[in-house]
């Protein structure tokens, strides 16, 4: 019975039903099995063998609601069932003859027992010509309607779950749950949906690596955002599908970032950065101290942190100074990607991606623009170390180490300081579901600049074997945060990819969508994960048993 | 013990009396024939389908939901729902459905008559 869908919560049995079951177990139900008669359409009625038409044993009426006593099998109509119970002590539970549903005569109400339903359903299946292997195979459902629906489903699909069935809410992958809008909080919901379904974060929280009951910060009465996220994860993966209100998280976040504590619409990206910062602050410190390592070991940094390399080259003497900066996400400029230079187009063709019309903005175009060699203007002269003077120079960014989860932020909101205006760029950006990041790695960028000369790779060699190998540069998309509407009055919606299917998370509403819908959306934040992470998560999700230990083993993240 | 169950508003005294006298009313005879031939089950299925088609079922569902909401989830029993909803339900069955059912019963009687 462990396989029963847990969120179809059975109502508690009344005291009379519990008493009956304590005394007789399920034998009483089974003895009724031969009285069940299956009619067309899968409706189950009770037909006592000796009589053709069941009648009330008191008034011999045959057309009212009739009940058959579970203990003495006498039939009474709805008016006399009460006197039957009163005159025979303990005869509380009866079965509705027409519907085969349990009725408690003392509570004067319908009662439910999954084990009774199981007996009825197994009869129903045999009645429809399907053999039942064992009672436990049958998922017990409550109402007659559900029973019919289920049996039809099983017949139609030969015991396999049909593809249409996937469109039913309750068969959505575990963890999909709507988030209520608490007043312009769709910016938060959108980011939370993406984070909750990021495999490393999910594994981290669901494997209890930050347990709110064991947290020292929380015990000390301090605010702890990881604890609040732990609550969110518990709620999302509880199996309950009714929309959840992440009010306490919003409250804690407000206390962390007081300047953002308003009921106004915020920027999703800003929230994302601020939330990850908070997690890092709350969680990172304790672990950073004992780890004698330059990298922070908090979950934020383990999942999202990569390293950017920026080379500033003096245009006069050609000497280069290199700096490394950690990053959580990459912000891409949208406007400039529109007019791709011929060189960019060639690069696209060389890297095996379909050649695009120059007018269409693509993600690879944006990334090319991000990693281009940029001439710094005369007002930005830098002090060249070898020349010892301020010289004009050029700067080029590249990615030295890729993160596990790559968050790409498309700059759709443009704030002009000189004109003091803001505008939204709502042009379309084409993005792939599979992204190869190897052209933007330092090794490729530097290699392209200097040719394949060994001296140019100062310090890059050590990374060649591990992170810049082609396997870990392959990324797959798992979430897209989109923004639609105007600058001030827009709406954020998240598309999630789970098990190869796309789901639209629009606050409290979740539904499955076609791939084309996602391709056509106005993307604002793109969440990619390394291919192996997605594949591993895919394997984990495909476990049928919804047991925490089986479905979410400890994972390195 | 809660309040007793009110009887539904159907006249059936004659049936009971007739049974006591050990003779069957016409209504009884027809009913037995209907059950024996399996036609009753067909008719019930027909009525069910028609009531779903014309939206009667949805109407009743909404009425039930409203009542449950008004009374509170915990304080409502199935019997109470039936007592309150039945008069409304009987009154709002469309005439076309009644007519179709009546025709079917008439045809059955004609075909079953010796």
């Amino acid at each position: 019975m462990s396989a029963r869908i847990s969120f179809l919560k059975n109502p508690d049995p009344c005291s009379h039903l519990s008493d009956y079951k304590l005394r007789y177990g399920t034998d009483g139900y089974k003895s009724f099995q031969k009285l069940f008669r299956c009619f067309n359409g899968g409706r189950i009625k009770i037909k006592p063998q000796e009589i053709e038409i069941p009648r009330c044993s008191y008034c011999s009426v045959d057309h009212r609601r009739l009940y058959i006593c579970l203990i003495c099998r006498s039939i009474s109509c709805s008016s006399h069932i009460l006197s039957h119970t009163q005159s025979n002590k303990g005869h509380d539970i009866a079965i509705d003859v027409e519907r085969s549903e349990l009725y408690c005569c003392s509570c004067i109400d319908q009662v439910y027992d999954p084990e009774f339903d199981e007996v009825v359903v197994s009869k129903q299946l045999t009645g429809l010509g399907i053999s039942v292997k064992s009672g436990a195979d049958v998922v017990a459902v409550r109402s007659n309607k559900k029973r019919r629906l289920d049996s039809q489903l099983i017949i139609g699909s030969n015991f396999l779950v049909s593809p249409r069935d996937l469109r039913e809410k309750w068969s959505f992958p575990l963890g999909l749950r709507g988030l209520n809008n608490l007043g312009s909080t769709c910016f938060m919901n959108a980011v939370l949906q993406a984070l909750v379904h990021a495999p490393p974060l999910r594994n981290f929280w669901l494997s209890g690596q930050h347990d709110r009951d064991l947290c020292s910060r929380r015990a000390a009465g301090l605010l702890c955002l990881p604890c609040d996220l732990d609550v969110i994860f518990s709620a999302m993966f509880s199996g309950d599908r009714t929309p959840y209100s992440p009010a306490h998280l919003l409250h804690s976040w407000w206390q962390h970032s007081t300047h953002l504590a308003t009921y106004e619409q915020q920027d999703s990206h800003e929230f994302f950065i601020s939330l990850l910062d908070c997690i890092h602050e709350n969680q990172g410190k304790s672990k950073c101290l004992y780890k004698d390592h330059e990298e922070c070991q908090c979950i934020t940094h383990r999942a999202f942190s990569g390293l950017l390399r920026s080379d500033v080259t003096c245009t006069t003497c050609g000497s280069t100074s290199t700096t490394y900066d950690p990053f959580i996400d990459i912000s891409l400029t949208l406007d400039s990607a529109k007019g791709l230079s011929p060189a960019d187009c060639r690069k696209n063709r060389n890297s095996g991606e379909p050649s695009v019309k120059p007018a269409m903005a693509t993600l690879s175009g944006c990334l090319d623009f991000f990693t281009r060699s940029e001439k710094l203007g005369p007002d930005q002269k830098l002090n060249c170390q070898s020349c010892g003077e301020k010289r004009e120079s050029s700067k080029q960014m590249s990615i030295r180490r890729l993160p596990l989860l790559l968050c790409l932020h498309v700059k759709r909101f443009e704030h002009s300081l000189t004109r003091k205006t803001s505008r939204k760029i709502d042009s379309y950006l084409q993005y792939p579901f599979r992204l190869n990041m190897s052209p933007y790695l330092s090794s490729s960028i530097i290699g392209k600049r200097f040719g394949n000369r060994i001296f140019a790779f100062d310090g890059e060699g050590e990374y060649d074997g591990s992170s810049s190998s082609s396997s870990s540069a392959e990324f797959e998309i798992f979430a897209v945060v989109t923004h639609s509407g105007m600058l001030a009055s827009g709406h954020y919606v998240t598309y999630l990819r789970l098990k190869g299917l796309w789901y639209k998370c629009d606050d409290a509403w979740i539904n499955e969508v076609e791939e084309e819908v996602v391709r056509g959306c106005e993307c604002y934040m793109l969440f990619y994960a390394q291919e192996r992470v997605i594949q591993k998560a895919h394997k984990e999700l495909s476990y049928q048993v919804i047991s925490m230990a089986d479905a979410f083993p400890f994972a390195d993240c | 013990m809660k309040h007793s169950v009110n009887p539904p508003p159907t006249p059936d005294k004659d049936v009971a009396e007739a049974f006591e006298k050990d003779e069957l009313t016409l209504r009884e005879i027809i009913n037995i024939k209907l059950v024996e031939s399996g036609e009753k089950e067909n008719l019930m299925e027909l009525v069910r389908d028609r009531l779903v088609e014309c939206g009667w079922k949805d109407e009743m569902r909404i009425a039930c939901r409203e009542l449950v909401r008004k009374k509170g989830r915990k304080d409502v029993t199935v019997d109470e729902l039936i007592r309150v909803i039945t008069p409304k339900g009987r009154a709002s069955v469309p005439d076309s459905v009644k007519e179709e059912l009546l025709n079917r019963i008439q045809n059955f009687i004609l075909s079953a008559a010796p």
Side-chain angles (χ1 to χ4, degrees), chain B residues 44-62:
Chain B
M44 277 167 70
E45 202 61 33
L46 175 92
V47 174
R48 250 178 231 125
D49 289 348
R50 291 288 175 272
L51 290 179
V52 171
E53 282 164 20
C54 70
W56 179 88
K57 194 180 168 185
D58 288 337
E59 218 175 286
M60 288 306 111
R61 195 205 304 277
I62 291 165

Side-chain angles (χ1 to χ4, degrees), chain A residues 447-462:
Chain A
K448 225 169 265 164
R449 186 146 43 115
F450 296 108
N452 282 323
R453 260 175 291 236
I454 204 79
F455 69 87
F457 293 90
D458 51 333
E460 288 302 320
E462 58 188 284

Side-chain angles (χ1 to χ4, degrees), chain A residues 43 45 55 62 103 109, chain B residues 28 31 41 48 78-79:
Chain A
R43 201 169 282 272
K45 288 186 186 182
R55 288 169 190 281
D62 64 356
Y103 183 85
D109 202 359
Chain B
E28 278 273 340
N31 189 32
E41 196 51 42
R48 250 178 231 125
V78 174
D79 279 70

